[in-house]
Amino acid sequence: MALSAAQRGFDDAVRESQRTFRLVLDAMAHAGRILRSDATLAPPPPLLSTSASIILALADFETAIWLDEPAADCPAVADFLRFHTGARLVRACRDADFAIIAAPARMPPLASFAQGTPEYPDRSTTLIVQVEALAGVGWQFRGPGIQDSAHFSATPMPLDFPQQLLENRARFPRGVDLVFATSTEIAALPRSARITAGPACTSR
Amino acid sequence: MSDAAHYNFAYLDEQTKRMIRRALLKAVAIPGYQVPFASREMPMPYGWGTGGVQVTASVLGPDDILKVIDQGADDTTNAVSIRKFFERTAGIATTTHTRDATVIQTRHRIPEAPLKEGQILVYQVPIPEPLRFLEPRETETRRQHALEDYGLMHVKLYEDIARHGHIATTYAYPVKVDDRYIMDPSPTPKFDNPKMDMCPALQLFGAGREKRIYALPPYTKVVSLDFEDHPFERTKFDRGCELCGAEGIYLDEVVTDDRGGCMYVCSDTDYCEGRRAAPHAAAPPIREARR
Ligand SMILES: [Zn+2]
């Protein structure tokens, strides 16, 4: 397969994988904290450099990736992911280890992804959600990784997303973990995060 | 050809690191839950902390500064050989100073100096399952964790009180993590349990032989199991360190000669040395070992 310059992977896979992993680990360990990414990949659109780095760092032939419609509609995205990770692309989101969401406002409900089992809650989907903006305001969270409380919001997201987060937490230890990415930043909401307040929560 | 060129960075191949990194992210997202992982053979025996070594190898980057302790000491054979292993295979900087380290691998102790945000503490764990000595079957302990069925553990601790008048467990004293999972804090003394609660550092646990990884994110509620009429009590020492005078820290009894002489000193060697080196330390003069 011929790949254009725009479809190059990591220049230094060992180093860049480690650095990307540490960024995601840092994000997952500090729920709702917005971190700057120095990802330099130029993946085919609609993939962002940030989310492409995450998937290249973490996915391989042992993992399955699901793409939402806008990402799946672009064959170059599937080629890029297969070539650089060797991962399987799956059609059903409940079979996915990783899901890439390019159009979050109309993403499937969190409950439709793999939730793990009561004995093995780790057998669940990690969602990589590409958004336009992350902000340290809006919804309020408590829980592991948060000293007191943290404010965080991502846009655009489904209107009922806060309610979905409540339900995701209610399924704990089953549930999904989310990594949000803009073109320059990432943040994570592990399933342990408890949403305690927020615009769409209080208006309900 | 140098060793660093001969091995992949930090010894492990990239595919193994990815598998361990995925397990670590799940462990952080489900605090206290034991994530299975495909533990690899390491060029050291299992008793030497191969689980911790694999976690450290998967986390380390070229800019990290690594500290390795065994029972609080940087200079034991085990600690020295793990430190040298990473110097050789990853070419990274190492330190004995808790405050300077970005990653600390430990067997049996949490440093006395408070840990900071951004630091990662990696524990070497021999037996990750806190319910194992009550229930040998893995399927059964999995079920108990799934159903939060922890009655047996409470009964065991209560029997301990009935027999000894107090809870006799002083190492690997079980904790409850964020009101959900019961977790084995590894064979650290229960003296260190309170340091795990709301710790600003990220705590990662690796069990090589048992193939389990688990984690405590920063600022996670960690409660030592106890009873209303028999609250958890931290081990107390009725004396201070005989080298630096520190009180309220964990002491080791050190034999000083072959005639039964001994002294009590800080188990954390970096902490003790730091106090003695500090110009204004309120430490008593170092005395001769007792004869
Ligand atoms: Zn001392």
Side-chain angles (χ1 to χ4, degrees):
Chain A
M1 186 194 319
L3 286 174
S4 68
Q7 290 183 316
R8 285 219 332 260
F10 287 139
D11 290 327
D12 179 349
V14 172
R15 175 131 201 203
E16 288 172 74
S17 297
Q18 186 273 338
R19 201 158 45 195
T20 305
F21 163 69
R22 279 287 279 275
L23 188 70
V24 179
L25 182 67
D26 201 12
M28 200 64 90
H30 297 94
R33 185 177 291 185
I34 300 165
L35 304 173
R36 188 145 196 93
S37 164
D38 57 0
T40 54
L41 288 179
L47 269 191
L48 296 176
S49 172
T50 43
S51 48
S53 298
I54 294 168
I55 205 78
L56 261 56
L58 295 173
D60 55 32
F61 68 91
E62 291 184 330
T63 57
I65 301 174
W66 179 84
L67 302 173
D68 76 348
E69 212 174 283
D73 279 350
C74 175
V77 169
D79 289 344
F80 178 85
L81 294 174
R82 277 199 204 95
F83 181 81
H84 289 296
T85 69
R88 283 170 292 126
L89 293 176
V90 291
R91 300 176 85 92
C93 60
R94 66 177 56 261
D95 297 332
D97 299 299
F98 295 99
I100 298 176
I101 314 287
R106 48 197 170 91
M107 65 187 279
L110 297 183
S112 60
F113 294 89
Q115 307 289 310
T117 66
E119 283 80 12
Y120 294 95
D122 55 303
R123 296 175 181 174
S124 55
T125 307
T126 300
L127 280 69
I128 301 168
V129 187
Q130 298 189 164
V131 291
E132 284 162 22
L134 299 172
V137 295
W139 312 316
Q140 188 189 54
F141 295 91
R142 294 181 189 278
I146 300 169
Q147 190 166 12
D148 178 30
S149 66
H151 289 272
F152 168 76
S153 56
T155 43
M157 292 303 288
L159 282 178
D160 68 342
F161 186 64
Q163 179 62 27
Q164 290 195 43
L165 285 178
L166 276 175
E167 290 163 8
N168 191 53
R169 173 65 218 196
R171 284 188 287 272
F172 191 91
R174 300 172 69 236
V176 298
D177 309 311
L178 299 110
V179 180
F180 297 91
T182 68
S183 54
T184 55
E185 296 164 331
I186 75 158
L189 288 178
R191 70 192 72 181
S192 61
R194 298 177 181 90
I195 185 165
T196 49
C201 278
T202 48
S203 67
R204 294 177 59 84
Chain B
M1 187 163 70
S2 75
D3 279 347
H6 183 72
Y7 297 113
N8 192 21
F9 181 84
Y11 185 82
L12 285 181
D13 63 277
E14 289 303 295
Q15 203 274 323
T16 298
K17 285 186 202 166
R18 267 193 306 273
M19 176 266 297
I20 293 174
R21 286 167 180 167
R22 291 193 296 262
L24 285 167
L25 292 174
K26 300 284 189 184
V28 168
I30 317 170
Y33 165 70
Q34 300 164 49
V35 184
F37 80 108
S39 180
R40 295 290 191 259
E41 292 285 327
M42 296 300 284
M44 55 189 74
Y46 270 125
W48 285 52
T50 54
V53 168
Q54 290 178 82
V55 169
T56 298
S58 304
V59 161
L60 276 186
D63 302 329
D64 276 311
I65 302 170
L66 177 70
K67 171 182 165 79
V68 183
I69 50 171
D70 177 9
Q71 305 272 14
D74 296 86
D75 57 1
T76 65
T77 314
N78 186 307
V80 170
S81 78
I82 291 174
R83 198 161 59 234
K84 288 215 167 110
F85 174 77
F86 284 115
E87 281 171 355
R88 202 172 70 237
T89 60
I92 52 146
T94 58
T95 184
T96 57
H97 299 313
T98 299
R99 66 172 178 276
D100 296 337
T102 56
V103 178
I104 302 171
Q105 180 168 329
T106 179
R107 175 173 171 266
H108 291 196
R109 280 308 313 282
I110 299 174
E112 303 291 356
L115 298 177
K116 307 173 289 198
E117 234 189 64
Q119 289 183 311
I120 300 177
L121 185 59
V122 178
Y123 296 77
Q124 304 170 200
V125 179
I127 301 167
E129 178 49 72
L131 310 174
R132 181 64 67 235
F133 71 102
L134 297 166
E135 172 53 66
R137 288 168 298 177
E138 168 71 11
T139 48
E140 191 54 26
T141 52
R142 285 249 153 217
R143 192 195 62 79
Q144 288 168 355
H145 283 297
L147 299 176
E148 220 176 332
D149 175 7
Y150 293 136
L152 265 182
M153 183 53 108
H154 283 273
V155 169
K156 187 267 163 192
L157 287 178
Y158 211 85
E159 281 175 357
D160 227 30
I161 295 168
R163 199 170 304 133
H164 304 284
H166 62 279
I167 297 175
T169 306
T170 55
Y171 290 86
Y173 188 104
V175 294
K176 195 154 199 184
V177 177
D178 195 38
D179 299 322
R180 179 56 179 82
Y181 281 101
I182 286 189
M183 189 193 92
D184 190 326
S186 91
T188 49
K190 75 173 179 183
F191 176 89
D192 285 338
N193 277 19
K195 295 180 191 167
M196 294 184 164
D197 181 39
M198 297 303 279
C199 177
L202 172 61
Q203 302 174 75
L204 306 175
F205 300 76
R209 193 182 48 221
E210 303 264 338
K211 304 179 170 58
R212 295 289 182 273
I213 283 170
Y214 51 105
L216 296 171
Y219 310 114
T220 297
K221 186 177 166 192
V222 178
V223 178
S224 300
L225 297 185
D226 65 358
F227 303 91
E228 241 168 62
D229 47 342
H230 291 276
F232 171 82
E233 269 183 47
R234 193 177 196 180
T235 309
K236 285 195 191 76
F237 296 89
D238 55 2
R239 61 180 87 206
C241 169
E242 291 178 45
L243 291 177
C244 74
E247 292 184 357
I249 46 95
Y250 197 79
L251 299 178
D252 278 339
E253 188 180 349
V254 177
V255 176
T256 51
D257 57 40
D258 54 9
R259 282 161 290 181
C262 72
M263 64 193 297
Y264 288 87
V265 299
C266 294
S267 141
D268 183 334
T269 52
D270 170 58
Y271 182 79
C272 196
E273 282 160 19
R275 282 181 56 91
R276 281 180 283 151
H280 305 298
I286 298 169
R287 346 183 273 206
E288 291 293 307
R290 279 173 301 194
R291 295 262 150 180

